[in-house]
Amino acid sequence: MVPPATFTSYYGRPIVKAAPWQSDIPAYLFLGGLAAGSSLLAAGADLMNLPELRRVARIGALFGAAAGSAALIHDLGRPARFLNMMRTAKPTSPMSVGTWILTTFGPLAGMAGAAEVAALLPFRIPIAGRLLDAAARPAGLLAAALAPGLASYTGVLLADTATPAWHAAHRELPLVFVGSAAAAAGGLGMVGARLSETTPARRMAVGGAVLAFTMELQMERSMGLSAETLHSGKAGRLFNASRGLSIAGAVGTVALGGRNRIAAAMSGAALLAGSVCTRFAIFEAGQASARDPRYTVIPQRERVTRS
Amino acid sequence: MHGWSTAADPARDTGWSEAPARKGFFTDGSVCIGCKACEVACKEWNGIPEDGLQMLGMSYDNTGGLGASTWRHVAFIEQPRRPVGAGSLTPLPLVAATHGQEAGGDPGSGFKPDYSASAGASSGPQDTAAGSAETGIRWLMSSDVCKHCTHAACLDVCPTGALMRTEFGTVVVQDDVCNGCGYCIPACPFGVIDRREGPAGARNVGIAQKCTLCYDRLRDGMSPACAQACPTQSIQYGDLDELRARANHRVEELHAAGVADARLYGADPDDGIGGAGAFFLLLDEPEVYGLPPDPVVTTRDLPAMWRTAAIAGATLLAGAAAAFVKARS
Ligand code: SF4
């Protein structure tokens, strides 16, 4: 339907408030997704005996979880009070649920990743090194079991707000985000592992990119008026970049990913960059939709008129 | 209306066994004179720092809106007086606050009063709202505040439990618990709560702040500072049941006097937030005052969101497993 040309507001001032979050949060959305996807890839590589893919993926999961956690803590108004997150567990708060998932996932993925890092050292760490080796597989598998939650809850985190563009996308955001996570993790595997081991990474990358792309199309329909915010300003530029990079990466993967090491690495890098842009685009679209009262007033006014 | 269960007694539902009657505010915009005594009293009592002394250039309102250091905010709308006899609910010729498609975030950019539209309109039944017949302008004023929602999104999404429900049924931030994650801020459908900015170490900087309905005064049996200071009883404090009855009576009174525009906002326990603890009598559509026309607590859709997340997680797991089928080359 054609939205009304005019609407009423209080001198054009916003009604809802934009989240006070800086780039830490969209960066975390990416890093958490990368960690989750990588831990799944690592678990599969471990079980299928693909050591190089396993190493890249485990280190990717370690890095994603560590850097992501740092970004989350940095974004707090009072970082020193981070541990207050642990004084309760609330299913009505996606942030509480996510914090518990991440604090369980982090050490497990960290252990598996540390085992890989230790193996790269020119010397062996006595005792602790052997313990780490023994713990790597169970820890990695447990981390992979938590990965679906880690990759999908962030969609709920954004959607469970009064931010018009995020809430209107609540039926698709978790699916877009798991697709983006898989594309990023597959992309990392393609960048870091030899061709003979990257078949699963390539499949995961392309599958993830296709899932994200199709769910984004559906998401734009669900968003109604607020879908505008994905196509203008900063969010619009990021969204276009995410589309371009993801399509290029996926096409490159299918065409050359299994034959040419350089082309595989470039396709993987494009998919990683595409995933970054997806997260930042959706983040910025939400912020823009909160700052302009039209996205709050018009859909609500239509709802009132209908009932 | 929304198929959302109503909690008549949020304090008891939260686990307070000995709870007094739910307390709230009835803010009657029809008698507000825009003096801002409430803003000042609130700042003074609660020790809230100054948060900007700029001129906004849009009306007599230079406060702008609620925020971490503004817990009462008097909206001040200057609008062309509608012709007498115009249907009460037809859209107003609201030049002052109506924006075209391209209206952006620049406050006041759409403020182009067109006094000629209503020039010559004689004084009508809307005269209870401040304004003068000669200028063809009417002034709407109303003091905004945290709604102390029955279903409060800020409280639902708070990961630390810093936001809590008091025995009075109100919603309060525990300053010593909040770690400033900021999640409550985009969650509030009214844009009430915000994180205080300022030099690190200054009082409550970095944590979420909003109206407490003067929790400290309530516990001592006093009324909140704003209600105490209001010279016209536009802000009334008391038991919510009683306030609702009083407000219904007031609307009937105004309708009988010909003020067909008078309507309550936030008083309906079946609305999208389960009814507000602090509700309002308005003389125009809510969005004219900067209020959302049909606010809904975002967590109403949370079960559906978790279901989608479960489907998404299962898809990822299945996809990852499928990626390894015959993967050894
Ligand atoms: S109005 Fe906003 S800040 Fe106040 S209780 Fe409701 S959700 Fe919380």
Side-chain angles (χ1 to χ4, degrees):
Chain A
M1 94 191 278
V2 182
T6 59
F7 70 102
T8 316
S9 75
Y10 184 63
Y11 301 103
R13 299 184 69 86
I15 289 184
V16 295
K17 281 194 167 48
W21 302 329
Q22 307 300 316
S23 51
D24 286 324
I25 295 301
Y28 165 71
L29 299 177
F30 165 74
L31 291 165
L34 177 69
S38 294
S39 72
L40 283 165
L41 206 50
D46 187 15
L47 297 176
M48 301 287 285
N49 196 22
L50 300 166
E52 200 167 299
L53 181 63
R54 186 194 69 196
R55 182 173 72 218
V56 175
R58 277 183 177 170
I59 294 175
L62 163 77
F63 167 77
S69 306
L72 282 187
I73 293 170
H74 180 250
D75 192 72
L76 295 178
R78 289 285 182 88
R81 291 187 184 176
F82 166 72
L83 284 178
N84 284 6
M85 294 279 189
M86 327 281 10
R87 63 190 281 287
T88 176
K90 277 174 77 177
T92 62
S93 170
M95 192 181 285
S96 172
V97 173
T99 306
W100 284 104
I101 294 176
L102 183 63
T103 45
T104 319
F105 175 93
L108 293 167
M111 241 185 283
E116 297 292 346
V117 174
L120 290 176
L121 297 176
F123 53 88
R124 297 284 138 240
I125 306 168
I127 308 174
R130 236 175 307 135
L131 282 176
L132 207 52
D133 272 345
R137 173 169 285 191
L141 292 177
L142 281 173
L146 291 164
L150 182 62
S152 61
Y153 96 86
T154 45
V156 182
L157 180 80
L158 293 194
D160 191 29
T161 58
T163 298
W166 294 341
H167 189 81
H170 73 81
R171 279 183 206 84
E172 294 85 14
L173 268 184
L175 287 150
V176 171
F177 281 8
V178 298
S180 180
L188 181 68
M190 290 163 63
V191 170
R194 70 177 61 142
L195 288 183
S196 61
E197 290 195 14
T198 52
T199 304
R202 277 180 274 128
R203 289 177 184 164
M204 196 168 177
V206 174
V210 170
L211 177 65
F213 186 84
T214 48
M215 291 320 297
E216 278 166 14
L217 292 180
Q218 194 174 319
M219 175 178 84
E220 285 194 62
R221 284 195 291 275
S222 302
M223 285 167 77
L225 182 68
S226 64
E228 278 178 13
T229 56
L230 277 171
H231 297 285
S232 60
K234 192 173 172 189
R237 288 192 296 279
L238 285 161
F239 196 54
N240 281 340
S242 102
R243 285 259 161 102
L245 287 162
S246 303
I247 292 172
V251 170
T253 304
V254 173
L256 297 167
R259 282 186 277 147
N260 182 312
R261 184 73 178 80
I262 309 267
M266 283 174 57
S267 302
L271 287 164
L272 279 164
S275 176
V276 173
C277 291
T278 302
R279 309 308 182 115
F280 276 82
I282 290 170
F283 177 79
E284 291 295 341
Q287 298 294 70
S289 75
R291 286 187 208 108
D292 188 334
R294 63 188 269 108
Y295 302 110
T296 299
V297 173
I298 294 175
Q300 291 191 20
R301 184 43 68 199
E302 283 172 0
R303 202 157 64 205
V304 174
T305 314
R306 267 200 308 272
S307 65
Chain B
M1 173 186 178
H2 289 287
W4 174 252
S5 71
T6 55
D9 192 343
R12 255 172 251 271
D13 289 352
T14 326
W16 291 94
S17 48
E18 305 267 299
R22 184 177 178 187
K23 296 290 187 283
F25 282 130
F26 165 39
T27 306
D28 181 350
S30 70
V31 290
C32 177
I33 55 170
C35 71
K36 305 178 192 176
C38 52
E39 285 190 19
V40 176
C42 175
K43 284 243 181 194
E44 287 295 326
W45 178 262
N46 292 296
I48 302 175
E50 176 260 305
D51 58 340
L53 298 168
Q54 73 281 28
M55 302 292 266
L56 299 180
M58 55 181 213
S59 75
Y60 285 86
D61 172 15
N62 289 310
T63 307
L66 296 174
S69 300
T70 301
W71 298 353
R72 268 279 178 191
H73 161 245
V74 180
F76 197 112
I77 300 114
E78 211 170 345
Q79 61 178 209
R81 182 182 297 274
R82 79 187 64 198
V84 178
S88 67
L89 290 171
T90 51
L92 286 173
L94 249 193
V95 186
T98 301
H99 303 269
Q101 289 276 7
E102 71 291 340
D106 179 16
S109 63
F111 185 57
K112 294 190 194 71
D114 180 4
Y115 301 148
S116 64
S118 54
S122 57
S123 58
Q126 284 86 2
D127 270 355
T128 30
S132 110
E134 290 91 70
T135 57
I137 295 290
R138 82 163 174 165
W139 290 342
L140 299 177
M141 287 153 280
S142 183
S143 179
D144 196 10
V145 71
C146 170
K147 314 305 176 284
H148 295 278
C149 309
T150 303
H151 300 299
C154 60
L155 193 156
D156 284 346
V157 305
C158 174
T160 61
L163 272 150
M164 67 154 206
R165 181 76 64 182
T166 73
E167 64 271 39
F168 302 105
T170 56
V171 178
V172 168
V173 183
Q174 301 172 81
D175 296 339
D176 54 340
V177 176
C178 175
N179 65 12
C181 77
Y183 201 9
C184 51
I185 297 163
C188 171
F190 302 95
V192 167
I193 193 164
D194 207 352
R195 201 157 76 179
R196 184 170 287 167
E197 307 293 328
R203 185 158 179 260
N204 291 342
V205 161
I207 71 175
Q209 296 283 277
K210 72 170 190 71
C211 161
T212 68
L213 213 123
C214 284
Y215 191 27
D216 51 352
R217 293 174 64 97
L218 262 54
R219 275 186 293 189
D220 284 343
M222 298 160 76
S223 68
C226 56
Q228 188 82 40
C230 178
T232 66
Q233 291 186 346
S234 170
I235 298 174
Q236 300 176 32
Y237 160 78
D239 293 355
L240 190 57
D241 288 343
E242 199 195 313
L243 291 175
R244 281 180 179 156
R246 209 186 293 168
N248 283 325
H249 181 73
R250 173 71 180 152
V251 171
E252 280 164 26
E253 208 173 77
L254 285 167
H255 285 176
V259 188
D261 286 339
R263 86 280 312 264
L264 296 182
Y265 177 82
D268 179 1
D270 291 326
D271 69 15
I273 56 161
F279 65 97
F280 305 81
L281 188 155
L282 306 177
L283 295 176
D284 205 333
E285 301 292 3
E287 57 266 40
V288 170
Y289 294 87
L291 296 164
D294 186 24
V296 175
V297 60
T298 181
T299 39
R300 200 188 67 183
D301 296 321
L302 190 56
M305 293 185 231
W306 284 134
R307 276 196 297 277
T308 309
I311 293 168
T315 307
L316 180 63
L317 195 60
F324 281 93
V325 174
K326 300 216 186 86
R328 304 234 33 187
S329 52

